[in-house]
Amino acid sequence: MRNNPPKFLKLIEQRRWQESAGEWLRLCLVCSAIAIVWCWSLGQVPLTPGEEQLADQAQQWLEQLDTIGVNPLESLRGLGQSPLTVALIALGQSLGGELGWSDRLPVAVFNLLSLPLLSGIAKTLTGRRLGALLVVVVYGTALGVTYWARSATSNGLILPLTLIYLTSLLFCRRDLRGSLTLGLSLTALALTNLQTSVLLGVTGLIFLGWDTPRLLRTPVFWSGLALGLLPAIAWWGNDGWHHGGFESPFALGNDDKQIGWIWIVMSLPGLIFACTGFQQAKHAQHWSWARFLICQGGIYSLLVILAPWSSGPLVMPLFVPLALAAAISLTNADHPTRWEYPAWWGPVFLGGAGFTFLLLTGVYWQGAIAGHLPGGQFWGLLWLALLAMTLMMTAILLDQHNAEFIAVLFWGLYVCLALTVYSPLWSTFLDWTNQWYDPPLVEVLTLSHHHFRA
């Protein structure tokens, strides 16, 4: 007899290959659309004061490396308290010169390459292909994520490093070798923002203790984690040894954590579905995805609120669990016959459409009273009109229990986001955010720069 497999096994294998290829094709198309917004025309606006500080520090570090007979330890110390961010910006400068786009491009590309990791996290936790795609859509159309992905700052680098860390966290549950990767990812976070790495490390251990308690009783896990953390321990230990303690990375000065929460609010309405996702997680705590959301979303938020450190970047990792919770809700909503929509979804989007329309009317009449409509105001009117129509159509489809509201909402949000980036609105938006964010950031970076040059 021949040992050829039965025909139906070949058909099953072929079907799985086609589904996998289709899944990757859809993911590539979504990532390509996001890349148009994240990576294109990065140099159309000047660097913000915070970006200029890091860009100058990266340029000085490159000049220091070119100095003959330079001390390697002194060169590393010149990277400041966010060495990975400065090194990444320096890489862009070495390839593209001292231009705005060359400073921002490495961070944008790093964020773009991390999107498949986000899809993998959703696929690992939920096992749903649609959820793995929707989480990328929700995450990629969030205004806060887009802003920092296009910025040459440490906040933009925290986002992909968080995805690497969470991927390692889930991987080490089934393979102890992942503990080394977990430690190395925490090291990368610590070399970008120490406070954020501490909180993520705490919530990660809480999640593993709840979901896989046997892992924390394994010496191999702790050995791999400690080995991966050695570079961060050496870096910050050397910093504390030379500068008399760790007061600087855990400064209690100007409290800008409220600004971090503003970025979450500005990323609505895509993240508004996360409320339902967390509500579902409360009733499904026997599943890993629910425990992940409770630990990385709920407990982490509580730690951010209670943490005395004045650090806005602490809020950045919350974009991941919020996008995942929203994707879980939207995946269930794709089958309206099996799952009843929450009653508040429709009224919230209807109210948002009404508020946007009133804002549109106010902006129009203000321009009409002035006697003319400047170019910037025209783009603002167009943006408000598109957003109002998107929210209104979403509310109508939600009232009809039509799952097409998902495509309508996120296509509309994507168009609004692209319009923001490729119009004068982006420059106006940067000027507005710089008024309440960059001054304390510039002060901290300036103090850090002089601190390491001393």
Side-chain angles (χ1 to χ4, degrees):
M1 293 180 59
R2 293 181 299 176
N3 293 325
N4 294 335
K7 186 177 181 180
F8 73 90
L9 291 180
K10 290 184 178 180
L11 293 175
I12 292 176
E13 183 179 356
Q14 184 179 5
R15 177 69 177 272
R16 289 177 178 175
W17 184 87
Q18 291 175 350
E19 291 177 350
S20 179
E23 180 181 355
W24 277 104
L25 178 60
R26 289 189 292 270
L27 179 61
C28 289
L29 291 175
V30 171
C31 291
S32 299
I34 295 174
I36 295 175
V37 177
W38 284 9
C39 301
W40 193 260
S41 192
L42 289 173
Q44 67 174 343
V45 294
L47 295 176
T48 63
E51 291 176 310
E52 287 180 351
Q53 290 286 335
L54 287 174
D56 292 342
Q57 190 174 351
Q59 181 61 29
Q60 292 173 6
W61 182 65
L62 287 176
E63 294 175 355
Q64 189 176 359
L65 289 181
D66 293 336
T67 304
I68 299 177
V70 65
N71 188 336
L73 294 179
E74 292 296 330
S75 299
L76 291 176
R77 197 171 295 121
L79 288 170
Q81 292 191 350
S82 293
L84 287 187
T85 309
V86 176
L88 197 62
I89 296 174
L91 175 62
Q93 291 180 352
S94 63
L95 296 177
E98 298 182 49
L99 302 172
W101 69 267
S102 64
D103 296 324
R104 292 167 173 158
L105 184 61
V107 177
V109 171
F110 196 20
N111 275 274
L112 186 65
L113 294 178
S114 68
L115 290 179
L117 296 179
L118 178 62
S119 177
I121 290 173
K123 184 71 176 295
T124 301
L125 289 172
T126 65
R128 297 183 178 182
R129 291 187 174 90
L130 180 60
L133 185 66
L134 285 176
V135 69
V136 178
V137 173
V138 175
Y139 183 85
T141 54
L143 179 60
V145 176
T146 300
Y147 179 90
W148 293 116
R150 292 176 57 90
S151 302
T153 61
S154 60
N155 284 12
L157 193 56
I158 287 175
L159 295 172
L161 291 178
T162 299
L163 292 175
I164 295 174
Y165 164 73
L166 294 176
T167 302
S168 304
L169 184 70
L170 296 177
F171 176 72
C172 71
R173 297 183 307 163
R174 61 178 184 270
D175 194 330
L176 287 175
R177 291 174 296 182
S179 60
L180 176 60
T181 310
L182 182 66
L184 291 174
S185 60
L186 273 177
T187 289
L189 280 164
L191 296 181
T192 303
N193 187 274
L194 183 59
Q195 305 98 318
T196 304
S197 68
V198 171
L199 296 191
L200 281 174
V202 171
T203 54
L205 291 177
I206 293 175
F207 168 71
L208 291 178
W210 187 7
D211 190 66
T212 320
R214 59 175 177 77
L215 193 63
L216 300 186
R217 296 191 296 266
T218 306
V220 177
F221 169 79
W222 293 105
S223 300
L225 181 63
L227 187 62
L229 287 173
L230 278 181
I233 295 173
W235 176 270
W236 287 110
N238 177 72
D239 177 78
W241 177 265
H242 284 85
H243 303 100
F246 297 94
E247 292 84 1
S248 183
F250 294 101
L252 305 180
N254 297 322
D255 191 0
D256 60 348
K257 279 189 294 188
Q258 294 84 355
I259 297 174
W261 292 106
I262 290 175
W263 289 111
I264 300 292
V265 175
M266 292 176 65
S267 299
L268 301 177
L271 295 180
I272 199 170
F273 302 101
C275 300
T276 305
F278 281 103
Q279 186 178 7
Q280 293 174 337
K282 184 176 64 174
H283 302 290
Q285 298 182 21
H286 54 284
W287 293 102
S288 293
W289 66 265
R291 298 172 179 178
F292 182 87
L293 289 182
I294 292 173
C295 291
Q296 300 303 324
I299 298 179
Y300 184 88
S301 299
L302 181 62
L303 292 179
V304 170
I305 295 173
L306 297 178
W309 312 317
S310 56
S311 177
L314 290 176
V315 184
M316 295 299 108
L318 284 173
F319 279 107
V320 178
L322 287 174
L324 179 62
I328 290 173
S329 299
L330 292 171
T331 303
N332 293 330
D334 190 57
H335 302 284
T337 57
R338 307 179 192 173
W339 188 67
E340 189 67 24
Y341 291 174
W344 57 270
W345 280 9
V348 164
F349 282 95
L350 184 62
F355 175 78
T356 307
F357 180 76
L358 290 177
L359 188 60
L360 170 66
T361 305
V363 172
Y364 173 78
W365 281 109
Q366 182 182 7
I369 293 173
H372 66 280
L373 288 177
Q377 193 170 27
F378 165 77
W379 290 108
L381 291 173
L382 180 59
W383 185 87
L384 288 171
L386 288 174
L387 182 61
M389 288 189 296
T390 299
L391 298 179
M392 179 61 70
M393 287 299 301
T394 302
I396 293 174
L397 291 174
L398 281 171
D399 183 67
Q400 298 174 354
H401 282 65
N402 190 337
E404 292 298 322
F405 82 90
I406 301 176
V408 170
L409 173 62
F410 287 100
W411 267 116
L413 292 179
Y414 177 80
V415 172
C416 291
L417 197 60
L419 180 64
T420 304
V421 171
Y422 292 108
S423 69
L425 292 175
W426 189 248
S427 178
T428 304
F429 180 67
L430 291 181
D431 293 339
W432 176 61
T433 55
N434 289 339
Q435 295 177 2
W436 44 262
Y437 186 83
D438 277 332
L441 176 64
V442 171
E443 180 183 355
V444 170
L445 288 175
T446 304
L447 291 175
S448 174
H449 177 65
H450 292 304
H451 174 68
F452 278 96
R453 286 180 60 86

